[in-house]
Amino acid sequence: MPAASPSRPPPRAEALKAMGRAVIETEAEALTALLERIDDSFVQACRHMLACEGRIVVLGMGKSGHIGGKIAATLASTGSPAFFVHPGEASHGDLGMITPKDVVIAISNSGETAELTVIVPIIKRQGVPLIAMTGNPGSTLARFADVHLDISVAKEACPLGLAPTASTAATLAMGDALAVALLESRGFTAEDFARSHPGGSLGRRLLLRVDDIMQRGDQVPAVSPDASVGEAIVEISDKRLGFTTVVDERRHIIGLFTDGDLRRLLSQPAVDLAHTPISEVMTRGSKTIQTGALAAEAVELMDRFKVNGLPVVDADGVLVGALNIHDLFKAGVV
C-alpha cells in the first residue's frame, strides 16, 4: 500500500494575496498590449459586421468556445444579431446554420484547432466573410481569414503556463471592443438595450410606464370639496394609497389630503371630523404625473418632493389614475 503523501500546510494570507495580484497584473499587461492592435484590421472587421445582412456567427472550442458564447451574447444584446455555434457540432450538421449573408468570427488561441480548420474551407466556399481571432498570426486559421485580429499574450497568468487565463481575458476584451464599436456606429441607445432586456431592472426602468402600474377606476381615491374630513378618511382607508385627491365636477384636481395631513389635523384641538369640509384643511394643488410618463419619472418626482404617492392625469389635467411607492416597489422599478 503506497504511503500517504504528506499534507501541505495551508498557504499564508500574504502568499494568497501575492498570487492574486500577480494574476491581475499579468492580465492587465495582456489587455494593455491590445491597445496597439485596435488598428486597420479592427476597422475592417467592424465594417464586415456592420454590412452583415444576416447574423454574426461565433465559433470556438473549449475555453475559446465559452468566451465565444459570451461575445455572441454581448453582440446580440447591443444591436448586432449574433449566435454561437459549436465547431464540433458544425461538422455534423450545424454548419447549415451559417448562410451566405452571415459573418463568421472564429476563435482559437493556437489558430490550429482541428474542429475549426476542417470547416473553414466550407465557410470560405460560401463566400462568408471570416474574421479570425487568434494568438498566432502565422496559423492556418489566420491565413484563411479575411481579417485577422491578433489576441496573442506574452504569457498566461497560470504559473504553469497551461490554463487559458490572460489569453481568454484578451479575447473577451477584443470581443467587447468590437461590440461597443458596433453599438456606437449603429446609434444603439439605452432604450434599445432595454428592449432586449425587458425582464431586467434596466428594462423596467426604461420601458415601464405609469399607465402599466397605476390604480384605475374605482380604485382611484377622490372626494368632492364638499365632502367632510371623515368621508375623506374613509376614502383614504378604502383605497389604501395614503392619500385622496379632492376634485371638481370635471375631475380636475383642486387639492390633496394625505395621511400626514390627517396626523397634523388630529394634533389640533376640537376638530369636528364629521362636519369640517375637506376643502378647509386640504393642501391646495398637487404634484401630479401625466399618463405615458415613465414609471422611473414617478420615482424621481416622489424622491424630489418627498411624497409617497402621485395622482395621474391625462393631457387635459383630468384625474385618471393614482399610484404610490408600493406600486413602484411591486413593479421592480425602485
Side-chain angles (χ1 to χ4, degrees):
M1 185 175 180
S5 58
S7 59
R8 298 179 62 179
R12 292 177 295 106
E14 286 307 315
L16 290 171
K17 292 177 184 178
M19 285 186 280
R21 291 189 188 105
V23 170
I24 301 300
E25 287 171 357
T26 299
E27 295 192 355
E29 290 170 4
L31 297 185
T32 301
L34 284 183
L35 287 172
E36 61 188 37
R37 300 179 207 158
I38 305 299
D39 52 16
D40 289 344
S41 292
F42 180 87
V43 172
Q44 191 179 356
C46 289
R47 286 180 174 159
H48 276 301
M49 290 187 280
L50 286 168
C52 178
E53 296 180 359
R55 298 290 187 269
I56 299 168
V57 184
V58 185
L59 306 171
M61 284 294 296
K63 302 297 187 297
S64 293
H66 294 306
I67 297 299
K70 164 59 171 64
I71 290 173
T74 300
L75 287 166
S77 69
T78 53
S80 298
F83 62 92
F84 176 79
V85 173
H86 191 286
E89 299 294 334
S91 60
H92 293 280
D94 282 2
L95 202 58
M97 299 169 73
I98 303 173
T99 75
K101 292 186 176 182
D102 297 331
V103 170
V104 170
I105 298 177
I107 305 171
S108 168
N109 189 44
S110 68
E112 301 294 346
T113 303
E115 291 87 350
L116 282 174
T117 57
V118 74
I119 62 175
V120 162
I122 302 169
I123 293 171
K124 295 295 291 181
R125 278 202 297 272
Q126 291 190 72
V128 176
L130 175 62
I131 300 167
M133 295 172 62
T134 84
N136 182 3
S139 63
T140 300
L141 187 57
R143 292 198 310 273
F144 270 109
D146 296 284
V147 182
H148 177 251
L149 299 177
D150 184 359
I151 52 167
S152 60
V153 297
K155 61 179 180 178
E156 296 288 6
C158 166
L160 302 177
L162 299 175
T165 44
S167 59
T168 49
T171 306
L172 184 59
M174 184 64 81
D176 287 343
L178 290 169
V180 173
L182 296 179
L183 176 155
E184 289 283 348
S185 299
R186 296 184 194 281
F188 194 77
T189 67
E191 285 202 6
D192 293 326
F193 187 87
R195 289 188 190 97
S196 61
H197 298 75
S201 60
L202 177 64
R204 288 191 291 273
R205 289 200 305 274
L206 292 181
L207 299 178
L208 201 65
R209 308 281 172 175
V210 294
D211 312 51
D212 300 322
I213 59 175
M214 70 183 187
Q215 304 297 323
R216 301 170 180 270
D218 293 340
Q219 293 305 308
V220 180
V223 296
S224 73
D226 297 329
S228 68
V229 173
E231 290 171 319
I233 293 172
V234 171
E235 185 73 353
I236 292 173
S237 178
D238 286 347
K239 304 304 169 60
R240 300 182 179 183
L241 291 180
F243 67 90
T244 183
T245 57
V246 183
V247 298
D248 63 19
E249 65 278 2
R250 295 178 299 169
R251 288 185 69 81
H252 287 163
I253 299 172
I254 58 177
L256 202 70
F257 189 70
T258 69
D259 283 340
D261 293 328
L262 176 60
R263 286 192 296 272
R264 286 185 288 274
L265 183 63
L266 293 178
S267 67
Q268 301 173 15
V271 177
D272 186 350
L273 300 182
H275 297 96
T276 302
I278 194 65
S279 59
E280 292 184 9
V281 296
M282 69 183 184
T283 300
R284 293 203 168 267
S286 170
K287 302 301 178 188
T288 62
I289 192 163
Q290 192 169 317
T291 53
L294 290 171
E297 293 178 57
V299 175
E300 192 274 331
L301 277 174
M302 290 184 192
D303 184 61
R304 191 196 320 166
F305 294 107
K306 310 302 179 192
V307 296
N308 292 321
L310 286 171
V312 183
V313 298
D314 65 14
D316 297 320
V318 175
L319 177 68
V320 293
L323 75 165
N324 68 6
I325 194 68
H326 300 294
D327 296 316
L328 295 164
F329 270 116
K330 287 178 187 176
V333 182
V334 179

